[in-house]
């Protein structure tokens, strides 16, 4: 399937760009650490709470529905990621930093799992 090949291609580019900045699970882990240490300015927290987390949840849900007919494993991962983004938004708004950190770490693990399954599919 052409779409699957395109996803693999972009993931391989992301992995090759390792030296140019944080991507994938490493970027999520860094964000988790910054939020735990409360080192993000309020405007960035607002962007995460009102834009990035909700949009990411929606996009993960879209991906899950896309994969559902032919790859149940990756579909399930994306559904789980959507839940993590929803929880992240809630924990950020309630300033539950420890729970937010744990949820983002779970999200990073899921992203790593998704990338591995995609590259080897």
């Amino acid at each position: 399937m052409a779409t699957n090949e395109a996803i693999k291609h972009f993931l391989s580019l992301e992995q090759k760009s390792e030296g140019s900045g944080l991507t994938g699970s490493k970027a999520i882990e860094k964000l988790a650490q910054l939020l735990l240490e409360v080192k993000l300015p309020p405007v960035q927290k607002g962007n995460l709470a009102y834009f990035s987390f909700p949009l990411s949840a929606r996009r993960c849900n879209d991906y899950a529905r896309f994969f559902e007919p032919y790859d149940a494993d990756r579909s399930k991962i994306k559904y789980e990621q959507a839940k993590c983004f929803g929880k992240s938004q809630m924990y950020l708004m309630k300033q539950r930093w420890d729970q937010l950190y744990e949820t983002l770490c779970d999200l990073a693990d899921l992203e790593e799992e998704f990338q591995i399954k995609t590259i080897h599919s």
Side-chain angles (χ1 to χ4, degrees), residues 83-107:
K83 290 178 193 176
C84 284
F85 277 116
K87 287 180 186 178
S88 294
Q89 180 189 25
M90 178 186 67
Y91 293 142
L92 177 59
M93 295 182 79
K94 292 184 175 190
Q95 298 182 14
R96 294 185 179 168
W97 308 117
D98 290 341
Q99 290 168 307
L100 176 57
Y101 176 81
E102 289 174 22
T103 302
L104 287 172
C105 288
D106 291 343
L107 180 63

Side-chain angles (χ1 to χ4, degrees), residues 40-52 92:
L40 288 180
V43 70
Q44 247 180 330
K45 289 178 186 174
N47 180 276
L48 288 169
Y50 297 106
F51 179 73
S52 295
L92 177 59

Side-chain angles (χ1 to χ4, degrees), residues 53-71:
F53 286 162
L55 178 64
S56 296
R58 175 61 192 197
R59 292 297 167 251
C60 284
N61 193 57
D62 291 344
Y63 267 110
R65 292 182 68 207
F66 170 79
F67 285 117
E68 210 165 33
Y70 70 92
D71 193 326

Side-chain angles (χ1 to χ4, degrees), residues 3-79:
T3 304
N4 194 51
E5 291 307 311
I7 293 169
K8 281 184 185 183
H9 172 73
F10 287 112
L11 285 177
S12 71
L13 289 177
E14 180 180 298
Q15 290 177 347
K16 289 176 187 172
S17 70
E18 193 77 28
S20 65
L22 295 174
T23 61
S25 61
K26 299 292 182 206
I28 297 167
E29 290 168 356
K30 180 66 175 178
L31 176 62
Q33 191 62 44
L34 288 171
L35 286 165
L36 183 63
E37 296 169 0
V38 196
K39 289 187 178 179
L40 288 180
V43 70
Q44 247 180 330
K45 289 178 186 174
N47 180 276
L48 288 169
Y50 297 106
F51 179 73
S52 295
F53 286 162
L55 178 64
S56 296
R58 175 61 192 197
R59 292 297 167 251
C60 284
N61 193 57
D62 291 344
Y63 267 110
R65 292 182 68 207
F66 170 79
F67 285 117
E68 210 165 33
Y70 70 92
D71 193 326
D73 288 341
R74 286 192 289 169
S75 178
K76 182 179 181 222
I77 292 168
K78 285 297 175 184
Y79 277 127

